[in-house]
Amino acid sequence: MNAEPADTTLEAATSKPAFRMLSGKEVVEKIPRTMQISFRLFTVDDLPEFRAWFADAELSRRLSFPTDEWFAYVTAGGAARSWVALDADRMIAQVQVDREDAERGYLDLAMRPHLRGRGLGAAVLAAFLSGPGRAYPILEGRIEPDNAASLACCRRCGFVILPEPDADGFMQAVYRSSQTS
């Protein structure tokens, strides 16, 4: 049985455009920089910021709002774990895995809403698979068929998308780790 890391930091270099604020609006710099993605377990201090993301209609349509009950579930040390993905100490994503058994975990990934559509989801997912995700020989995501961005992100990171929706109408994206930890 693989042990789950309690606290993991992993850096993954990814060339992405740099971001800066200009008059209260985010603009994309033309000069690429190296993104260093690190992970740590989700804490109560992360809740207000993460909850604010759910003002975004797309995110709130895809994932359930992080209630106090959800927080207790993912921090109890049981079958579920939640991490924040950071770039330069800024929360850019949240990753949750619910372990079904010693082999399989079910994955959810939430990107900071204004960062979607820039390829950062694939960078976060790839870094997760190289870091905390190594504790799970099989990871599976259940994705709504109209969520083309998530399906593409999973494909780019080596997930196999099963050809038919499951009984609940979700597409299954399955990742089998070639690495044991």
Side-chain angles (χ1 to χ4, degrees):
M1 181 169 171
N2 296 333
E4 291 185 42
D7 189 4
T8 304
T9 54
L10 173 86
E11 294 186 352
T14 305
S15 180
K16 293 290 172 196
F19 302 96
R20 66 181 174 90
M21 298 298 286
L22 180 65
S23 301
K25 293 185 178 182
E26 189 171 51
V27 296
V28 177
E29 292 283 329
K30 299 290 184 187
I31 302 168
R33 67 174 175 86
T34 301
M35 175 178 279
Q36 300 296 320
I37 299 171
S38 61
F39 294 91
R40 66 167 169 72
L41 290 174
F42 197 95
T43 69
V44 70
D45 293 335
D46 300 315
L47 270 173
E49 181 177 355
F50 185 48
R51 285 175 172 163
W53 295 4
F54 284 80
D56 178 74
E58 178 69 9
L59 181 60
S60 64
R61 183 169 80 89
R62 303 287 185 189
L63 294 175
S64 297
F65 183 81
T67 63
D68 291 343
E69 292 80 12
W70 169 85
F71 178 74
Y73 172 68
V74 299
T75 59
R81 294 277 188 271
S82 180
W83 295 264
V84 293
L86 302 162
D87 176 36
D89 296 324
R90 179 176 160 208
M91 188 178 359
I92 60 170
Q94 178 271 344
V95 180
Q96 177 178 332
V97 177
D98 295 87
R99 187 181 286 278
E100 180 180 63
D101 55 34
E103 293 292 312
R104 184 178 304 267
Y106 291 92
L107 176 74
D108 283 327
L109 170 66
M111 286 299 302
R112 178 182 287 273
H114 73 270
L115 297 178
R116 287 194 308 255
R118 300 177 184 180
L120 298 175
V124 168
L125 184 53
F128 181 79
L129 294 172
S130 298
R134 291 181 300 169
Y136 305 91
I138 302 169
L139 282 169
E140 182 176 322
R142 298 178 70 233
I143 304 168
E144 294 177 53
D146 69 337
N147 192 340
S150 290
L151 291 167
C153 175
C154 286
R155 279 188 195 99
R156 282 193 301 273
C157 291
F159 283 72
V160 173
I161 310 299
L162 300 185
E164 297 297 324
D166 66 13
D168 296 320
F170 290 93
M171 302 304 294
Q172 293 172 278
V174 180
Y175 179 84
R176 294 181 190 281
S177 177
S178 60
Q179 187 170 318
T180 57
S181 54

